[in-house]
Amino acid sequence: MTEHGPERRAIREAMTRLLDGRPVRSDGKLTIKSLAEEAGVKRWILTHRHQDLQVEFRDRIAAHGTDPEPVRVLKERVETLTDENRRLREQLRTTKGTIAMLERHIAVEALEATRPLKPPIGAGLPRLHPVPDQTAPPTEGNQ
């Protein structure tokens, strides 16, 4: 065996683990960086000393297909959580708009409650109405 035999064996074993979706030392992605981490070698060893193994790894990825099952499952989970996050942010925006409108209504009611119960004779005080929020898009209640 050559002086680099143990390195090459470690790299090939790491390739197999990554392609099978059983990483031990890396994040499990099918990249040269992850292969180096998985094999316990510096990346430059793959890119300079063992370029043939780098090519072999890329060929095995092409033959194997896409990401290993655990990585694919995690990517799907991230996508699901991103969609849920987007939905919750929209719901929060709507709720904040409703809260702002209700705060204005409460302020108007509080002002009306502080007015005298009977207006002085001859003083026709108009009833106060909340001012619609000019920054929010019109909704059914404030058009």
Side-chain angles (χ1 to χ4, degrees), residues 127-140:
R127 178 164 163 75
L128 296 175
H129 297 285
V131 176
D133 182 8
Q134 300 299 320
T135 60
T139 61
E140 291 181 25

Side-chain angles (χ1 to χ4, degrees), residues 30-78:
L30 299 179
T31 62
I32 297 300
K33 179 180 179 247
S34 294
L35 176 60
E37 286 175 14
E38 189 65 28
V41 298
K42 302 240 183 242
R43 192 169 82 188
W44 71 267
I45 290 176
L46 277 170
T47 58
H48 291 66
R49 186 182 294 164
H50 302 295
Q51 293 177 355
D52 61 317
L53 292 179
Q54 181 179 351
V55 171
E56 179 183 331
F57 182 57
R58 290 197 171 119
D59 290 343
R60 287 179 68 181
I61 291 171
H64 179 268
T66 59
D67 293 325
E69 183 65 16
V71 174
R72 188 187 58 74
V73 168
L74 288 174
K75 284 182 177 180
E76 287 174 0
R77 180 76 175 135
V78 166

Side-chain angles (χ1 to χ4, degrees), residues 12-138:
R12 283 204 168 98
E13 289 170 357
M15 277 186 218
T16 302
R17 285 195 304 274
L18 286 175
L19 291 169
D20 290 345
R22 301 178 291 110
V24 175
R25 299 182 193 155
S26 70
D27 57 10
K29 294 180 181 176
L30 299 179
T31 62
I32 297 300
K33 179 180 179 247
S34 294
L35 176 60
E37 286 175 14
E38 189 65 28
V41 298
K42 302 240 183 242
R43 192 169 82 188
W44 71 267
I45 290 176
L46 277 170
T47 58
H48 291 66
R49 186 182 294 164
H50 302 295
Q51 293 177 355
D52 61 317
L53 292 179
Q54 181 179 351
V55 171
E56 179 183 331
F57 182 57
R58 290 197 171 119
D59 290 343
R60 287 179 68 181
I61 291 171
H64 179 268
T66 59
D67 293 325
E69 183 65 16
V71 174
R72 188 187 58 74
V73 168
L74 288 174
K75 284 182 177 180
E76 287 174 0
R77 180 76 175 135
V78 166
E79 188 176 320
T80 301
L81 291 173
T82 301
D83 292 342
E84 177 71 4
N85 187 356
R86 191 175 300 117
R87 186 189 64 76
L88 289 172
R89 285 178 182 271
E90 180 58 36
Q91 183 181 1
L92 178 62
R93 262 191 299 281
T94 302
T95 302
K96 282 182 176 181
T98 302
I99 289 171
M101 180 203 48
L102 292 173
E103 286 173 341
R104 288 190 304 276
H105 281 283
I106 290 169
V108 168
E109 292 296 324
L111 284 173
E112 286 183 348
T114 60
R115 295 173 73 186
L117 293 177
K118 288 187 174 184
I121 297 175
L125 295 176
R127 178 164 163 75
L128 296 175
H129 297 285
V131 176
D133 182 8
Q134 300 299 320
T135 60

